[in-house]
Amino acid sequence: MKISEAARQSGLPAKTIRYYESIGLFNSERQQNGYRDYQERDVKQLRFINRARQLGFSLDECRGLLQLFRDPHRASRHVKELAESRMHLIDEQIANLMAMKETLSGLITQCPGNDESDCIILDELADEKH
């Protein structure tokens, strides 16, 4: 199948598929004329990558997950370790976002939002102590 059909079936833009191929994350077969030829197994792997990316896995992590996915002798503990590591990073990101939200919320509360030039938000952003 052509890349346009693989893109449609996988939910990934053709440009993204080409990028994944250029970095060696994914490889399709080439016809004699040089055109890519995608098989159902390729679409399955592209869907896998797409879903893993939606769950926040990095490209390197996707590479590792794909290796495990392709290995019928894999140990599920390796997959679980990768997933737990990703979840830990997500928890850290959530904590950081909540702290950012609290700080911004406090600044918004302190800002009078009137026609005066004084602005606590700008003052805080310019503060070199942070």
Side-chain angles (χ1 to χ4, degrees):
M1 83 182 68
K2 294 181 180 181
I3 194 168
S4 59
E5 182 61 20
R8 188 187 69 71
Q9 288 187 28
S10 67
L12 291 169
K15 186 175 183 178
T16 301
I17 295 171
R18 285 188 197 97
Y19 173 69
Y20 288 165
E21 288 184 291
S22 74
I23 63 170
L25 180 61
F26 169 80
N27 293 309
S28 63
E29 293 181 20
R30 297 273 181 162
Q31 298 175 351
Q32 287 182 328
N33 62 8
Y35 288 107
R36 293 172 179 94
D37 184 27
Y38 296 91
Q39 306 299 316
E40 186 56 38
R41 73 177 181 279
D42 299 324
V43 172
K44 187 174 184 179
Q45 289 181 39
L46 289 168
R47 283 189 199 124
F48 180 94
I49 295 168
N50 190 18
R51 183 69 177 130
R53 295 290 288 148
Q54 289 173 351
L55 290 173
F57 288 100
S58 70
L59 291 176
D60 283 337
E61 290 168 329
C62 285
R63 191 180 314 278
L65 286 167
L66 266 176
Q67 288 174 344
L68 290 167
F69 179 66
R70 293 172 183 149
D71 180 5
H73 305 293
R74 68 186 169 257
S76 66
R77 75 174 170 277
H78 298 301
V79 181
K80 185 174 182 176
E81 288 168 2
L82 283 171
E84 287 174 336
S85 176
R86 172 53 43 198
M87 183 125 84
H88 178 71
L89 289 172
I90 290 170
D91 286 339
E92 287 178 1
Q93 290 173 328
I94 290 170
N96 289 337
L97 286 170
M98 292 302 294
M100 289 167 44
K101 181 179 178 182
E102 274 187 45
T103 299
L104 191 55
S105 178
L107 292 172
I108 290 169
T109 300
Q110 294 176 50
C111 180
N114 56 24
D115 292 331
E116 300 295 321
S117 63
D118 290 337
C119 180
I120 187 70
I121 298 169
L122 294 177
D123 292 344
E124 182 68 22
L125 292 174
D127 187 359
E128 295 180 10
K129 293 183 279 183
H130 292 279

